[in-house]
Amino acid sequence: MTRNVEDRLRDAFTAGAELVSPESLKGVAAPVVARRRRGFPGLPVLAAVSVAVVLGAVAIFPSWSRQPVTPGGFTAVVDALARRVEQPREYWRSETETLTRGRPSKQTYNIEERTRRVYWATPRGTAVATTPLQTRPVTTADERKWRAAGAPALCGFAVGCKGVEDRRGRTDYWFAEGFEFGPLSLTRPQLLALPQDPQRLEAELLRALRSQGRLDPPGPGVQVKQPSEQDLLWLTGEWLLTQMPTPPAVRAAVLRMMAALPGARIVDEAKDAEGRSGLTIVRKADRDPMESRLVIDRSSGDVLGTMTLVAGPLPARAGLEVGDLASAVVVRKRGWTGEGPRLPDGCVQQAGKTCRGS
């Protein structure tokens, strides 16, 4: 099964390598299901987003370090989230739109790929529906270069779509027994039993990451930097907040844990990729030149979206400068529902099974 662009970008950043290459991006289509390997697992968090507000330029996100929010403001929002009572129903649904930017191999222009992903928690396990939406040049200058190159078809980051099936507008479905589409593999009881204290939560997540081999060193001959514990904790936190049916008190503990990670800071008047304003936790990764931003709604404490920006020099072939947006996730909907996923005719939800819709 192929890996999505977001996973590959995270691996490329971690390795300090180019963002995209013909080999690493061949056959872009699907998220990884039930990854059980050593090294960096990738995450459907760099993942396409409706980005009308970000199409005009590449480097559009200014530094927010001059707009710190008082600790009390963040604490009040998180405290309110911890007190919230949610009534679980039969199904959990989280819909996100993701955007990934980069430069195709051997090209002179940058492109962005947008994808919709819907995550379902059902009595039968997890279902993920992925729909590629659009791939296009980022800026007007990129479009001119693309047209000068003959305006080749774009299938994800594959230029010309040679050897790659064009999946735009078509939905693929993947099923798993538990929550296996992120940095950890959890059952629903394990998710619901996560600690509500941020320090205990951090210890439990680290224990799970170690037990599942996520912090093991790469195997012989594997040229990939080992992510730090803090980097994996951040990615796990994003996953728990944006996709999973994590209880409110645990979500509050996740936010406190992420805000307490080394190098993290809280800023105000920040915006997600759709221009929605909120409190934001900002943190530069330990071992790759990227900065992550988690934007939180002030009234509810829910996550509006995530962004990853270039925070250090990348190879020229990557096509991105310091301060450029590399990826973003916009959370469209999340919550309990009485309606389950509508599957294509002949598609049965079964762990390990995949289906392709029209």
Side-chain angles (χ1 to χ4, degrees):
M1 186 173 297
T2 55
R3 304 178 63 211
N4 60 47
V5 174
E6 178 184 339
D7 290 322
R8 297 167 191 191
L9 280 169
R10 282 198 185 274
D11 281 357
F13 294 150
T14 301
E18 60 186 302
L19 292 179
V20 290
S21 67
E23 295 77 19
S24 66
L25 292 170
K26 186 176 181 180
V28 171
V32 179
V33 178
R35 285 186 296 272
R36 300 185 184 279
R37 63 176 177 84
R38 294 186 175 186
F40 186 65
L43 184 70
V45 44
L46 282 171
V49 43
S50 178
V51 288
V53 299
V54 301
L55 300 183
V58 179
I60 60 171
F61 296 98
S63 171
W64 299 325
S65 59
R66 296 182 180 179
Q67 298 176 336
V69 64
T70 60
F74 175 77
T75 299
V77 171
V78 177
D79 284 348
L81 173 62
R83 293 191 297 268
R84 186 193 305 176
V85 176
E86 292 181 347
Q87 183 61 45
R89 303 181 70 180
E90 188 173 7
Y91 300 97
W92 167 270
R93 183 180 187 276
S94 172
E95 179 181 341
T96 63
E97 291 186 13
T98 68
L99 158 72
T100 304
R101 287 180 175 176
R103 177 164 298 176
S105 179
K106 300 180 182 180
Q107 304 303 317
T108 61
Y109 51 85
N110 290 346
I111 62 175
E112 61 181 20
E113 182 186 29
R114 295 190 293 142
T115 305
R116 178 187 302 115
R117 288 193 179 91
V118 181
Y119 302 80
W120 296 88
T122 79
R124 296 183 179 181
T126 304
V128 178
T130 301
T131 309
L133 299 177
Q134 187 179 43
T135 305
R136 60 185 176 187
V138 176
T139 67
T140 301
D142 289 320
E143 183 176 0
R144 286 197 298 265
K145 294 177 181 178
W146 171 71
R147 292 190 181 281
L154 300 171
C155 293
F157 279 75
V159 175
C161 299
K162 183 178 180 180
V164 179
E165 183 178 2
D166 188 352
R167 300 293 302 163
R168 285 173 292 182
R170 303 177 64 182
T171 302
D172 290 340
Y173 300 83
W174 293 265
F175 307 107
E177 183 175 356
F179 302 122
E180 298 179 331
F181 295 94
L184 284 176
S185 176
L186 296 175
T187 64
R188 181 177 290 195
Q190 288 173 331
L191 176 69
L192 298 179
L194 287 175
Q196 300 177 11
D197 174 81
Q199 292 181 332
R200 290 179 55 215
L201 175 65
E202 178 176 330
E204 175 59 25
L205 293 178
L206 285 175
R207 184 203 62 77
L209 287 166
R210 291 191 184 99
S211 68
Q212 296 182 23
R214 307 306 194 187
L215 291 169
D216 290 352
V222 178
Q223 300 299 317
V224 176
K225 292 180 183 178
Q226 179 67 14
S228 70
E229 291 183 352
Q230 290 74 27
D231 288 349
L232 280 180
L233 283 171
W234 180 277
L235 294 177
T236 304
E238 286 185 342
W239 175 63
L240 291 171
L241 293 170
T242 60
Q243 299 170 25
M244 295 296 100
T246 311
V250 178
R251 298 206 301 271
V254 171
L255 289 171
R256 291 189 173 102
M257 177 194 74
M258 296 175 72
L261 289 175
R265 68 186 191 277
I266 304 170
V267 296
D268 204 353
E269 298 302 327
K271 296 182 179 180
D272 71 355
E274 288 228 308
R276 298 177 298 181
S277 178
L279 300 176
T280 299
I281 307 175
V282 181
R283 179 181 179 272
K284 184 181 181 301
D286 290 331
R287 298 177 182 174
D288 68 36
M290 310 304 290
E291 181 178 87
S292 297
R293 298 179 176 182
L294 184 81
V295 186
I296 309 159
D297 182 77
R298 293 185 189 86
S299 60
S300 67
D302 289 332
V303 173
L304 299 176
T306 68
M307 295 186 294
T308 302
L309 279 71
V310 179
L314 291 172
R317 58 183 176 270
L320 297 177
E321 306 285 343
V322 173
D324 288 354
L325 176 69
S327 65
V329 176
V330 169
V331 179
R332 292 295 186 195
K333 299 177 181 179
R334 63 185 309 278
W336 295 100
T337 176
E339 183 177 350
R342 298 180 180 179
L343 304 179
D345 292 341
C347 180
V348 179
Q349 182 174 340
Q350 181 179 345
K353 182 180 177 62
T354 64
C355 299
R356 288 194 162 181
S358 57

